[in-house]
Amino acid sequence: AKPKVAKEKERLCLRTLVEKRLLQDVFEQCHEKWAGWMVLVLDEPGLRVISSSIGMYDLAEHKITLAEDLTKRRAPFRDMGVIYLLSPTEDSVTRLISDWTPSETRKEPLYGDGIFVYFLSKLQPEQLNRIKRCTALVKRIKGMGEVNIDFLAKEAGAFHFDMQSSFRDLYLRRPSTTTPAMIEIA
């Protein structure tokens, strides 16, 4: 009976659930539509979510050859697909669009025709409309979604919102005021 209980606890482990959500609902779905190797492009919140739940070995098992920072200059891999795992911020959406908008320094796209875009939480309609206006990006998108994992799964039964000043904002305030941290958590 003990092995069954251990398996049940592992199945209900928050970190395991986050790992399965990312591996199955993001990476495996991408490879149903793109057979080749892929590059994973992350902003800082995306990197922190991945780092708290998935190891590099798991990424390599799912044909992710490289994880790159959205904010840094990146080398082109035009024969590879790309998975973007981003927070739905104005900056991340702008950088996503600029990857697919020709410029004076870059005439060709950075990656191949297999683009998968996933956001850690709800994407605002205005941001979605900005993405829809980038035709070079839209015509290559093979998958897009919201994974709703905008927290860090640090342990089996504990998570963290990764909000540095939230304790101060939530507890050191007047009872009648609403803070941005309260709105973000809600």
Side-chain angles (χ1 to χ4, degrees):
K2 285 190 178 187
K4 185 177 182 181
V5 171
K7 284 183 181 179
E8 184 69 20
K9 282 185 180 179
E10 183 180 315
R11 188 176 64 82
L12 297 176
C13 168
L14 180 63
R15 190 170 177 174
T16 304
L17 292 172
V18 169
E19 177 184 14
K20 284 182 181 177
R21 171 93 165 114
L22 290 169
L23 292 177
Q24 292 173 357
D25 297 344
V26 174
F27 301 121
E28 288 178 13
Q29 281 190 7
C30 292
H31 284 290
E32 288 176 7
K33 297 176 182 173
W34 184 267
W37 285 88
M38 301 186 82
V39 176
L40 177 62
V41 177
L42 307 151
D43 59 3
E44 186 178 339
L47 176 63
R48 292 181 57 81
V49 166
I50 288 288
S51 297
S52 75
S53 57
I54 297 176
M56 283 306 293
Y57 177 80
D58 293 319
L59 292 176
E61 285 274 306
H62 288 83
K63 296 183 116 183
I64 305 297
T65 186
L66 188 61
E68 294 197 306
D69 187 338
L70 178 69
T71 63
K72 296 189 176 157
R73 186 174 169 93
R74 289 166 272 131
F77 292 97
R78 293 186 182 99
D79 59 332
M80 292 187 197
V82 62
I83 301 172
Y84 289 92
L85 184 62
L86 309 171
S87 57
T89 63
E90 199 68 34
D91 182 55
S92 292
V93 170
T94 298
R95 289 178 186 273
L96 166 69
I97 291 168
S98 71
D99 273 2
W100 298 94
T101 305
S103 68
E104 291 179 15
T105 58
R106 184 180 31 79
K107 306 285 186 221
E108 297 286 321
L110 286 172
Y111 306 105
D113 287 342
I115 303 172
F116 301 88
V117 182
Y118 292 94
F119 292 97
L120 298 175
S121 59
K122 184 177 180 358
L123 182 68
Q124 295 301 315
E126 306 83 45
Q127 294 167 332
L128 179 61
N129 288 333
R130 286 184 58 215
I131 292 170
K132 289 194 305 192
R133 286 192 296 269
C134 181
T135 55
L137 171 63
V138 171
K139 70 181 181 182
R140 292 177 173 94
I141 289 180
K142 305 273 188 239
M144 185 172 180
E146 298 165 347
V147 294
N148 297 316
I149 301 175
D150 54 350
F151 58 89
L152 307 180
K154 290 292 201 178
E155 296 180 21
F159 64 92
H160 187 281
F161 282 126
D162 201 25
M163 299 171 74
Q164 304 303 324
S165 65
S166 62
F167 187 81
R168 177 180 42 86
D169 291 346
L170 292 173
Y171 295 106
L172 298 176
R173 63 174 182 82
R174 282 187 251 158
S176 63
T177 60
T178 303
T179 66
M182 293 170 74
I183 293 168
E184 188 174 344
I185 290 172

